[in-house]
């Protein structure tokens, strides 16, 4: 066979693979949305679930919990992840200890989520005495997300051209100022992408949350925004089921009358929420990047 | 003329490899000193030893001394940040920050504590004028520095160095990424700058060394083979290896 023909075949094969992947994705999302959109209405988005036997109601608290858990997790993950990533990229010296840290991070990121869930149950739920709570869920999710975040921050920092770093150091700028004012702004787009990936796992995770944040949501009062109040949606020490956990739960407990509808609607809502979050995060990343790198206003 | 930089018995090792051997060099104040030699001869390594940029590379070890104004930069008390404020550096690739032209210049002064807007404006205008760039960019100070041509970027970087008020400027093949016209403008700038600054320049281009420098050091395999006035080194070298190199027999 001549090289030209092989080249052409290879091109066609790669196109086909791409179309296949995109096709599967469109089919999957289309199916979820088609099934779900019929269920979603204002009541579904805002109301609490109805009773087990009668069905009805919505997934309002679960939707709120998903986002709130995301915020809590990111509040813990982002500072720790930045710190770890900066250490690995800028301070860790090549050697056996660094290698050991790297291996540990990799092991941590490949732990099965059910194992992390059981670990969370033991440590964050029982040992601390918090019980099933948002904070326990957020900490368990941090266990997953931290390695991802550290790796992404490290890669984003090391991808900044060496010339930029040398330019800053050669101006008599300290290492820390160089990291803060030159490296981090330049690495920001990569860090944002990483944050989105990590956030996606928060939205989608169920196994680790069943044992930590719990599978139920108590009555919460959306007019009470005092985080210390037990019925406040902001109270981090209340149990909370997220959308993903709720989907699992209504399907597992077959007595729920309208389990199918709730599952379809919640799935579609989850997909839409992730999509909106991704678009927003990308926009925010671009906005901050533009602010940091273009001129400051006179 | 006073000696600004005095190098005595300076050796540098990358791990087991000796990159610089027994360097002895007196660099005069407010002169341009050129370092020439074939690739890998150690001239850039030596340049980066003067502001201790080699410290960034793991496994580098040095012996001997480099004294600037009588103070050894390799002594224990040497503050690296202070050293690099006094010894500015211009790199081979123009490396402006991805910021506006104004913010690139104001970067160093801001971090070193100047907040006053008027003062910063004054520094930006003065240094850009010194770098022969003011007229070209004065109407777009707040647009991105990455939109400038390579030659303009390199002059911007020089202005950025001038803004932290160094008295020595190290240049590591500053014209190697520039076209001939930009190179000519850069060379004019270097000759202007020696009125106020001590300049050490590494270059591959021997015509360039001959045009801009007062003194020239010829490096080979980590040693200085010959160091003398530029005119004499190029017209009447005393070492046969220098002659071979400048007449293009190797390197």
């Amino acid at each position: 066979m001549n090289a030209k023909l092989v080249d052409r075949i290879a091109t066609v094969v790669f196109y086909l693979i791409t179309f296949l992947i995109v096709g599967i994705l469109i089919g999957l999302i289309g199916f979820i949305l088609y099934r779900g959109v019929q269920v979603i209405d204002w009541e579904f988005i805002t109301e609490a679930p109805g009773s087990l036997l009668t069905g009805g109601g919505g997934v309002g608290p679960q939707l709120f919990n998903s986002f709130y858990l995301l915020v809590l997790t990111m509040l813990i993950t982002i500072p720790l992840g930045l710190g770890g990533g900066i250490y690995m990229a800028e301070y860790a010296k090549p050697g056996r200890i660094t290698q050991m840290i790297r291996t540990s991070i990799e092991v941590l990121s490949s732990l099965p989520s059910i194992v992390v869930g059981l670990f969370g149950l033991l440590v964050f739920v029982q040992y601390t005495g918090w019980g099933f709570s948002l904070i326990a869920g957020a900490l368990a999710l941090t266990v997953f997300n931290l390695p991802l975040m550290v790796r992404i921050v490290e890669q984003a920092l090391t991808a900044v051209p060496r010339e930029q770093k040398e330019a800053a150091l050669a101006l008599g700028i300290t290492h820390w100022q160089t990291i803060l004012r030159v490296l981090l702004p330049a690495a920001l787009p990569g860090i944002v992408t990483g944050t989105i990936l990590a956030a996606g796992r928060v939205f989608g995770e169920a196994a680790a949350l069943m044992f930590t944040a719990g599978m139920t949501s108590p009555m919460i009062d959306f007019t009470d925004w005092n985080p210390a109040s037990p019925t406040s949606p902001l109270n981090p020490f209340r149990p909370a089921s997220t959308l993903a956990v709720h989907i699992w739960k209504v399907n597992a407990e077959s007595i729920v009358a309208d389990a199918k509808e709730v599952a379809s609607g919640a799935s579609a809502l989850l997909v839409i929420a992730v999509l909106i979050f991704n678009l927003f995060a990308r926009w925010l990343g671009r906005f901050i990047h533009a602010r940091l790198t273009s001129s400051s206003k006179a | 003329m006073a000696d600004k930089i005095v190098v005595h018995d300076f050796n540098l090792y990358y791990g087991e490899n000796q990159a610089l051997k027994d360097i002895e060099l007196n660099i005069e104040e407010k002169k341009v000193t050129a370092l020439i030699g074939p690739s890998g001869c150690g001239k850039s390594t030596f340049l980066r030893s003067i502001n201790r940029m080699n410290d960034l590379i793991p496994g580098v070890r040095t012996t001997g001394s480099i004294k600037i104004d009588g103070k050894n930069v390799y002594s224990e008390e040497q503050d690296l940040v202070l050293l690099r404020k006094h010894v500015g550096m211009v790199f081979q690739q123009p490396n402006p920050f991805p910021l506006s032209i104004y913010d690139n210049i104001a970067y160093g002064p801001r971090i070193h504590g100047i907040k006053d807007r008027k003062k910063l404006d004054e520094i930006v205008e003065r240094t850009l004028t010194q770098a022969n760039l003011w007229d070209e960019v004065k109407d777009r100070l707040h647009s991105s520095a990455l939109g400038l041509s390579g030659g303009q970027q390199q002059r911007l970087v020089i202005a950025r160095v001038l803004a932290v008020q160094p008295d020595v400027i190290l240049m590591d093949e500053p014209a190697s990424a520039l076209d001939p016209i930009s190179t000519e403008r850069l060379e004019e700038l270097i000759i202007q700058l020696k009125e106020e600054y001590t300049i050490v320049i590494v270059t591959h281009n021997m015509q360039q060394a001959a045009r801009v420098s007062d003194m020239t050091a010829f490096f080979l395999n980590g040693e200085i083979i010959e160091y003398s006035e530029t005119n004499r080194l190029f017209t009447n070298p005393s070492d046969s290896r220098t002659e071979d190199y400048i007449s293009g027999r190797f390197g």
Side-chain angles (χ1 to χ4, degrees):
Chain A
M1 257 201 296
N2 67 34
K4 247 184 198 164
L5 186 66
V6 174
D7 182 59
R8 212 163 284 161
I9 292 172
T11 311
V12 170
V13 167
F14 289 130
Y15 267 94
L16 282 178
I17 292 174
T18 311
F19 281 128
L20 187 72
I21 294 169
V22 174
I24 292 174
L25 191 69
I26 291 176
L28 201 65
I29 293 181
F31 179 73
I32 293 171
L33 289 182
Y34 170 75
R35 289 259 306 251
V37 166
Q38 304 163 349
V39 182
I40 298 176
D41 52 20
W42 186 244
E43 193 196 322
F44 187 74
I45 296 175
T46 53
E47 296 280 306
S51 90
L52 282 181
L53 294 172
T54 60
V59 292
Q62 282 73 25
L63 184 62
F64 175 84
N65 289 342
S66 281
F67 276 99
Y68 189 43
L69 190 64
L70 174 73
V71 172
L72 284 179
T73 308
M74 286 302 154
L75 278 180
I76 307 170
T77 308
I78 290 176
L80 287 177
L82 277 176
I86 289 171
Y87 172 80
M88 292 303 283
E90 286 295 314
Y91 294 94
K93 299 211 163 42
R96 202 180 288 170
I97 295 178
T98 304
Q99 204 48 50
M100 226 166 73
I101 296 174
R102 211 175 290 275
T103 311
S104 312
I105 292 174
E106 268 156 31
V107 169
L108 203 57
S109 71
S110 56
L111 278 183
S113 55
I114 194 78
V115 175
V116 175
L118 289 171
F119 171 78
L121 177 67
L122 214 66
V123 178
F124 305 133
V125 175
Q126 291 171 350
Y127 183 74
T128 58
W130 291 332
F132 290 125
S133 60
L134 277 163
I135 188 78
L139 288 170
L141 289 172
T142 301
V143 173
F144 283 121
N145 279 337
L146 204 53
L148 189 68
M149 198 70 198
V150 168
R151 175 106 50 95
I152 282 159
V153 171
E154 181 189 354
Q155 279 172 356
L157 285 175
T158 44
V160 176
R162 225 173 77 116
E163 289 85 19
Q164 294 280 322
K165 189 179 164 191
E166 291 193 329
L169 291 172
L171 282 175
I173 292 168
T174 60
H175 194 183
W176 170 237
Q177 282 168 327
T178 302
I179 292 169
L180 198 65
R181 309 280 286 275
V182 178
L183 296 183
L184 280 178
L188 194 70
I191 294 174
V192 168
T193 311
T195 313
I196 292 173
L197 285 177
R201 291 185 73 169
V202 176
F203 276 124
E205 185 54 48
L209 287 176
M210 298 189 302
F211 300 119
T212 50
M215 283 182 274
T216 53
S217 282
M219 290 304 289
I220 50 176
D221 177 3
F222 277 100
T223 56
D224 178 4
W225 295 100
N226 172 13
S229 152
T231 57
S232 164
L234 292 184
N235 187 342
F237 294 100
R238 68 179 172 88
S241 62
T242 64
L243 271 182
V245 172
H246 190 64
I247 292 171
W248 180 84
K249 191 186 144 196
V250 291
N251 278 302
E253 292 173 351
S254 49
I255 50 167
V256 181
D258 53 355
K260 262 216 170 81
E261 284 75 20
V262 173
S264 313
S267 307
L269 205 57
L270 191 58
V271 170
I272 294 169
V274 170
L275 210 63
I276 290 175
F277 174 78
N278 279 11
L279 292 175
F280 171 73
R282 272 177 210 286
W283 172 82
L284 187 71
R286 265 204 300 276
F287 177 76
I288 297 174
H289 187 64
R291 277 299 294 270
L292 286 175
T293 55
S294 72
S295 65
S296 61
K297 298 290 160 283
Chain B
M1 224 9 134
D3 287 334
K4 180 78 179 171
I5 306 173
V6 178
V7 184
H8 176 62
D9 193 22
F10 188 72
N11 293 277
L12 184 141
Y13 306 82
Y14 289 121
E16 295 296 302
N17 264 334
Q18 186 164 12
L20 293 172
K21 291 173 204 150
D22 307 329
I23 303 290
E24 299 279 342
L25 194 65
N26 291 359
I27 293 172
E28 289 177 38
E29 191 169 15
K30 294 185 185 169
K31 289 270 168 86
V32 176
T33 303
L35 312 179
I36 62 167
S39 297
C41 67
K43 57 192 190 302
S44 282
T45 301
F46 173 67
L47 190 78
R48 295 166 66 94
S49 301
I50 299 175
N51 65 345
R52 291 185 57 180
M53 287 300 275
N54 285 329
D55 288 19
L56 297 178
I57 303 165
V60 164
R61 201 157 50 79
T62 61
T63 62
S65 69
I66 296 180
K67 285 183 181 166
I68 299 179
D69 293 327
K71 273 191 281 185
N72 185 7
V73 302
Y74 282 89
S75 76
E76 296 271 306
E77 310 89 82
Q78 178 64 54
D79 178 348
L80 274 188
V81 168
L82 207 63
L83 169 69
R84 290 174 185 157
K85 262 180 82 172
H86 284 296
V87 184
M89 187 163 208
V90 176
F91 297 83
Q92 193 167 351
Q93 287 294 329
N95 55 357
F97 299 126
L99 302 168
S100 71
I101 294 168
Y102 186 100
D103 287 334
N104 260 281
I105 309 283
Y107 203 87
R110 272 190 186 134
I111 286 189
H112 294 307
I114 299 176
K115 293 272 170 352
D116 181 36
R117 186 87 203 170
K118 268 201 196 114
K119 226 172 181 172
L120 287 173
D121 287 348
E122 186 270 317
I123 291 172
V124 169
E125 179 167 353
R126 176 169 51 78
T127 56
L128 282 173
T129 309
Q130 269 183 297
N132 298 337
L133 192 61
W134 177 249
D135 289 333
E136 291 161 61
V137 301
K138 64 181 174 201
D139 299 321
R140 48 170 174 151
L141 288 177
H142 294 285
S143 54
S144 171
L146 301 180
L148 299 173
S149 75
Q152 289 173 323
Q153 287 189 4
Q154 200 62 304
R155 278 178 282 145
L156 174 71
V157 168
I158 291 175
R160 184 175 67 187
V161 167
L162 297 180
V164 288
Q165 298 183 299
D167 33 38
V168 177
I169 301 176
L170 309 176
M171 299 189 178
D172 192 358
E173 300 187 38
S176 66
L178 305 185
D179 62 78
I181 294 172
S182 303
T183 302
E184 199 186 322
R185 304 205 56 175
L186 185 75
E187 290 178 4
E188 284 165 15
L189 174 60
I190 293 170
I191 292 168
Q192 271 175 39
L193 288 175
K194 74 170 177 178
E195 304 278 323
E196 290 180 63
Y197 304 94
T198 305
I199 295 173
V200 186
I201 177 171
V202 164
T203 177
H204 257 302
N205 179 332
M206 279 176 280
Q207 285 81 19
Q208 185 169 70
R211 281 191 300 261
V212 303
S213 71
D214 303 290
M215 302 291 290
T216 298
F218 172 57
F219 277 71
L220 188 64
N221 299 330
E223 289 175 273
I224 293 184
I225 303 300
E226 188 165 352
Y227 177 52
S228 66
E229 281 169 27
T230 299
N231 257 337
R232 210 171 74 215
L233 188 125
F234 279 101
T235 54
N236 187 21
S238 52
D239 194 293
S240 64
R241 286 170 293 181
T242 315
E243 193 176 349
D244 286 349
Y245 181 68
I246 60 176
S247 59
R249 237 163 272 168
F250 73 95

